[in-house]
Amino acid sequence: MHLPGVVLLLAVAGCSSTDTAAVPVPSPPPQEAKLCQALHRQLPKTLSGLDRRDTDPDSELTADWGDAAIVLRCGVPRPANMSDPNALAVEADGVNWMVEQRDSGPRFTTTYRKTYVQVTMSTKFSHDTTPLADLAAPVKKTVPSSL
């Protein structure tokens, strides 16, 4: 066995992971984690023409489409801006989302749901909420309203 060959193989394998995106995993309470796991099973394989990819670390609380062009995290903490009466919001197919405009692209967080689902999009989607409409049915089906 040639150790340098094994080391080279491991180094190449570790550096060639283009099928995953690094996504921080939330730590929701167990009840919310169960909702997120149900949501994870209902998420589409493609979103706005982008293929779904694995996240790193692999988690049922996260999803990624198109090399982190769209990233979903379920079970995130309640955003501080949610208490701001002037916070921007949109509705997409029956799901309400708080909007945060950022230089790297918009971030949307569900409102009035039993757990918070956050969707971050690249600047390509700065004026396009189509992905939210495509996520509405899975969110409604798996994350009940808190109203």
Side-chain angles (χ1 to χ4, degrees):
M1 177 175 185
H2 298 322
L3 186 57
V6 172
V7 172
L8 177 62
L9 180 61
L10 290 174
V12 170
C15 294
S16 64
S17 181
T18 58
D19 294 324
T20 62
V23 177
V25 178
S27 301
Q31 285 176 259
E32 293 180 29
K34 286 181 183 178
L35 297 174
C36 295
Q37 291 163 350
L39 173 61
H40 191 264
R41 290 187 293 274
Q42 296 296 317
L43 292 173
K45 293 188 187 304
T46 60
L47 189 59
S48 292
L50 302 171
D51 290 331
R52 186 165 168 190
R53 299 167 6 118
D54 294 328
T55 57
D56 181 27
D58 186 31
S59 173
E60 292 183 324
L61 304 177
T62 60
D64 165 46
W65 292 267
D67 195 18
I70 302 172
V71 173
L72 180 143
R73 297 173 63 229
C74 184
V76 299
R78 185 179 194 271
N81 296 17
M82 194 122 349
S83 297
D84 181 354
N86 296 317
L88 298 176
V90 296
E91 185 271 340
D93 287 352
V95 177
N96 295 308
W97 303 83
M98 182 188 75
V99 182
E100 296 173 272
Q101 294 295 345
R102 304 168 318 132
D103 291 341
S104 58
R107 178 167 55 201
F108 302 90
T109 307
T110 56
T111 61
Y112 309 117
R113 295 276 157 190
K114 298 271 183 178
T115 193
Y116 294 103
V117 178
Q118 182 183 78
V119 176
T120 305
M121 299 184 205
S122 69
T123 55
K124 171 184 174 182
F125 296 97
S126 290
H127 302 287
D128 182 3
T129 58
T130 304
L132 297 180
D134 294 340
L135 291 170
V139 168
K140 286 191 292 190
K141 182 175 183 177
T142 60
V143 183
S145 171
S146 62
L147 295 177

